[in-house]
Amino acid sequence: MGGLARLEYRGYDSAGIAAVTTDRERVSTSKKAGKLVNLAKQLADRPLPDATAAIGHTRWATHGAPTDANAHPHIAAGGRIAIIHNGIIENYSTLRKELLAQGVDFLSETDTEVAGHLLAAEVAKGLSLADGMRALVSRLEGAFTLLAVDAQDPGTVVGARRNSPLVVGIGEGENFLGSDVVAFIEHTRTALELGQDEVVELTADAVRVTSFDGTVVDREPYHVDWDSAAAEKGGFATFMDKEIHDQPAAVADTLRGRVDERGKLQLDAGIIDESVLNSVDKIVVVACGTAAYAGMVAKYAIEHWCRIPVEVELAHEFRYRDPVVNVKTLVVAISQSGETMDTIMAIRHAQQQGASVIGIVNTQGSTIAREADAVLYTRAGPEIAVASTKAFVAQITAAYLLGIYLAEIRGNKFPDEIASLMEQLSEIPAKIQRILDTSGPIREVARSMANHNTVLFLGRHVGYPIAMEGALKLKELAYIHAEGFAAGELKHGPIALIEEGVPVFIILPSAHGRESLHSKVVSNIQEVRARGAFTMVIAEEGDTEAADHAEHVFSIPVAPVLMTPLLSVIPLQIFALELATAKGLDVDQPRNLAKSVTVE
Ligand code: M6R
């Protein structure tokens, strides 16, 4: 149950366990709709017998509503076989019809159960569970990680992986499988990532990996460089609050050791030749959700520093519109999990067109980290709360490092300019800490706004993606209608949304510096205020004008404009967290969501 609890962030609409006991007829299962706590209660009333091997699952529904019957594991062959699954079996409908015609009774509406019956049929022919799994996967289309147990082969778990992650934890006299190392981190920090189209056969003291065709694969284990404490709440009430407070460390760790003794920036893994990077004439960032907003922030910086055009595209839109990508394109895939299927598919498409791909990824050994040509890891540590916070600031930091690296090797910046940018970044962790230490007022205001139905967010330049990120946080956590707009766009339509008392957050840029947008944004504030908006302004410390235009001003430390997104997002994260908490909502596991979206 501990492992399942740590994986619950990936899906939490139902959960279940199948245990293989010495009864060789059938596995014992327990499953329940709703959060894991429901399964825990059921198990407390009706415990499963002691087992030699077990599989467990927390679900994010694709096929079939979140009911007890649709919860995994699914059984086949009268309970001899149990199976769990992440992903979508795209040809399940054809396979289901075939099985129905053979007289198979289905107990659920899931695509997974189809796989269970097909596996049972292979095992009934006399194949071992592993051979049966290899036969099964040749019939499946789509994305799947499958784990299965057989009552007649106690002590063995067989897994298969296509497109969805599967990691082996190697212990002493015990071995583990999980979608993420957090599942077994309290038992072992030695992990082995299964590659695409591979099958693993696991017993307490052996791990055997083959490709789908049965060829033995030799995979090197790696050491996980964080421990179980990093995946705990650390005294905070929620993972999200803890992760918000992890942000100074997330930025500092992402910056750590990036410059070698010659003053050159270093990437983490894989090499893209400098000559390739020098010939790049376009950068395309592909990402989803919060990671895409990090990409939008990075666009401003990279174009400014490197004079290379940067496009930012939602990964799920990119692949299907026949994008213009070639050997002169550098694709930057940003992903916390490294397992977002839309982003994986986008990078595969880009690689097929000859583009080089750099992954900005938080999860070691994840699919994007392995498939990209080079990786720049964000060192945010495990992010458990569904709403992304520390990964976001780490993604901006890493993307900035990439921009500075490109500016360096392409000769766009002199060494002293590079050093100055690195210095500006190095000051960010302490500045974030200052915001966290003085977050009382924004928490109080957020709590007072729990009854509002709409909140708008406005920003210009780098404040624009931050406005959208602030709105996303509020939508996903507090279930409030929230929109982020480019402040200048307001008068072209969205201003019609403003009515008496509508709360509007505005990210006010610094009044200093060349081409400051301060006065333009002040005008935008006046426009909404004149129509009755309740304005909350995020302004630089010492901005004496901000208070004249706002019901509330929240200050952030002074920083160069391109560094400000790393600061202005913090009050917005806190606002969403606090408002959702005041509404009594579960901020770590908001409704309908899953942390890693491993289906297209
Ligand atoms: O793991 P990824 O960074 O690829 O995930 C991308 C999005 O699904 C993710 O950022 C999502 O938008 C967050 N829940 C937002 O808080």
Side-chain angles (χ1 to χ4, degrees):
M1 282 297 274
L4 278 184
R6 287 172 189 269
L7 282 184
E8 204 184 9
Y9 73 92
R10 299 178 76 93
Y12 36 81
D13 57 39
S14 58
I17 293 180
V20 191
T21 64
T22 45
D23 166 6
R24 297 177 76 93
E25 295 296 311
R26 33 180 307 125
V27 297
S28 303
T29 58
S30 183
K31 49 192 204 167
K32 198 73 197 145
K35 292 197 175 172
L36 195 56
V37 63
N38 296 358
L39 176 66
K41 277 189 203 133
Q42 179 164 287
L43 284 169
D45 293 343
R46 282 178 280 133
L48 287 173
D50 286 342
T52 48
I55 54 177
H57 188 260
T58 59
R59 180 169 186 247
W60 183 74
T62 58
H63 295 61
T67 59
D68 289 357
N70 288 333
H72 300 210
H74 294 283
I75 53 164
R80 175 181 164 183
I81 300 289
I83 194 163
I84 57 178
H85 165 221
N86 285 344
I88 291 180
I89 297 167
E90 288 171 359
N91 59 334
Y92 98 103
S93 173
T94 317
L95 295 170
R96 187 178 164 106
K97 281 185 196 136
E98 181 186 312
L99 288 162
L100 284 169
Q102 291 166 15
V104 171
D105 283 335
F106 280 85
L107 302 172
S108 77
E109 303 153 275
T110 64
D111 49 345
T112 309
E113 194 183 350
V114 167
H117 291 302
L118 289 173
L119 178 62
E122 298 298 341
V123 172
K125 290 179 198 162
L127 294 186
S128 69
L129 191 62
D131 285 339
M133 183 65 89
R134 281 184 282 269
L136 164 67
V137 293
S138 69
R139 304 216 49 206
L140 305 182
E141 290 166 18
F144 45 82
T145 286
L146 296 160
L147 295 189
V149 287
D150 177 358
Q152 294 190 11
D153 185 8
T156 301
V157 178
V158 170
R161 181 200 167 193
R162 171 175 286 169
N163 290 336
S164 297
L166 185 58
V167 196
V168 182
I170 301 173
E172 287 184 15
E174 55 179 2
N175 289 312
F176 308 86
L177 285 164
S179 303
D180 184 332
V181 291
V182 290
F184 49 72
I185 192 73
E186 61 184 325
H187 302 287
T188 178
R189 289 168 72 183
T190 306
L192 185 154
E193 187 85 21
L194 233 64
Q196 177 75 337
D197 288 0
E198 288 178 357
V199 168
V200 61
E201 199 175 344
L202 199 82
T203 59
D205 41 29
V207 177
R208 185 169 184 268
V209 181
T210 70
S211 57
F212 276 4
D213 67 10
T215 313
V216 174
V217 177
D218 201 12
R219 290 217 160 269
E220 270 301 297
Y222 62 92
H223 180 72
V224 181
D225 57 12
W226 46 269
D227 62 14
S228 56
E232 303 290 348
K233 286 184 194 157
F236 288 90
T238 60
F239 278 111
M240 187 182 172
D241 206 3
K242 185 235 174 200
E243 287 161 8
I244 286 174
H245 284 82
D246 283 346
Q247 292 184 108
V251 173
D253 289 346
T254 301
L255 289 172
R256 192 166 22 83
R258 295 295 186 184
V259 183
D260 71 10
E261 58 290 347
R262 294 166 303 140
K264 286 228 158 202
L265 280 167
Q266 298 293 300
L267 300 189
D268 286 308
I271 291 169
I272 297 179
D273 202 87
E274 280 194 15
S275 64
V276 174
L277 294 177
N278 270 316
S279 66
V280 160
D281 63 9
K282 178 170 80 168
I283 293 175
V284 179
V285 178
V286 290
C288 301
T290 289
Y293 295 141
M296 286 180 68
V297 170
K299 172 186 165 79
Y300 290 86
I302 297 175
E303 288 190 337
H304 181 67
W305 295 332
C306 309
R307 311 309 301 152
I308 309 173
V310 179
E311 293 171 11
V312 184
E313 179 127 12
L314 294 170
H316 36 90
E317 289 295 317
F318 171 78
R319 181 187 169 208
Y320 296 102
R321 67 163 176 85
D322 194 14
V324 181
V325 178
N326 55 41
V327 287
K328 290 192 152 199
T329 312
L330 177 65
V331 169
V332 180
I334 305 181
S335 175
Q336 187 285 130
S337 61
E339 300 294 350
T340 297
M341 185 58 67
D342 294 316
T343 311
I344 293 171
M345 290 306 183
I347 68 171
R348 287 183 187 161
H349 182 79
Q351 283 170 325
Q352 280 161 11
Q353 313 301 308
S356 300
V357 175
I358 292 186
I360 291 181
V361 176
N362 197 41
T363 308
Q364 239 180 317
S366 57
T367 303
I368 294 174
R370 283 188 296 104
E371 294 194 10
D373 301 294
V375 184
L376 193 50
Y377 277 114
T378 48
R379 302 196 191 113
E383 192 179 64
I384 309 290
V386 165
S388 193
T389 53
K390 62 177 177 174
F392 179 68
V393 292
Q395 285 160 350
I396 295 174
T397 306
Y400 277 18
L401 283 171
L402 176 63
I404 296 169
Y405 176 72
L406 290 172
E408 181 178 53
I409 64 166
R410 293 166 66 102
N412 300 92
K413 292 262 174 239
F414 292 112
D416 60 326
E417 293 173 304
I418 298 285
S420 159
L421 290 171
M422 292 301 289
E423 176 71 21
Q424 291 169 16
L425 277 173
S426 72
E427 290 169 3
I428 293 298
K431 292 181 179 179
I432 295 178
Q433 191 59 52
R434 281 232 307 276
I435 301 172
L436 296 173
D437 292 344
T438 54
S439 65
I442 190 136
R443 287 180 190 266
E444 199 182 318
V445 170
R447 286 193 292 269
S448 74
M449 304 203 104
N451 293 328
H452 281 273
N453 296 323
T454 296
V455 181
L456 303 180
F457 296 76
L458 307 181
R460 274 183 184 243
H461 191 257
V462 284
Y464 170 38
I466 296 301
M468 289 192 285
E469 171 60 6
L472 174 59
K473 287 287 94 78
L474 200 58
K475 280 184 251 208
E476 69 177 336
L477 294 176
Y479 318 151
I480 284 180
H481 170 241
E483 293 296 334
F485 294 110
E489 183 66 9
L490 213 64
K491 57 189 174 296
H492 299 285
I495 201 162
L497 291 170
I498 305 291
E499 56 189 13
E500 193 61 36
V502 168
V504 182
F505 256 105
I506 303 105
I507 299 150
L508 185 59
S510 168
H512 306 289
R514 252 182 334 133
E515 298 180 33
S516 166
L517 283 166
H518 187 271
S519 59
K520 297 268 185 290
V521 176
V522 165
S523 303
N524 299 138
I525 302 175
Q526 282 166 337
E527 287 155 15
V528 292
R529 248 192 154 192
R531 290 161 177 83
F534 181 89
T535 54
M536 295 170 284
V537 170
I538 295 176
E540 182 179 89
E541 279 168 2
D543 185 326
T544 47
E545 220 187 311
D548 297 340
H549 308 287
E551 270 67 46
H552 297 287
V553 177
F554 306 108
S555 295
I556 56 171
V558 175
V561 63
L562 288 170
M563 299 295 150
T564 56
L566 291 160
L567 306 176
S568 54
V569 73
I570 313 289
L572 301 184
Q573 296 167 341
I574 295 171
F575 181 80
L577 165 86
E578 207 60 44
L579 195 151
T581 306
K583 287 181 78 172
L585 300 172
D586 181 342
V587 295
D588 285 339
Q589 296 179 342
R591 71 183 179 200
N592 301 340
L593 292 170
K595 180 72 178 164
S596 298
V597 184
T598 54
V599 293
E600 266 193 281

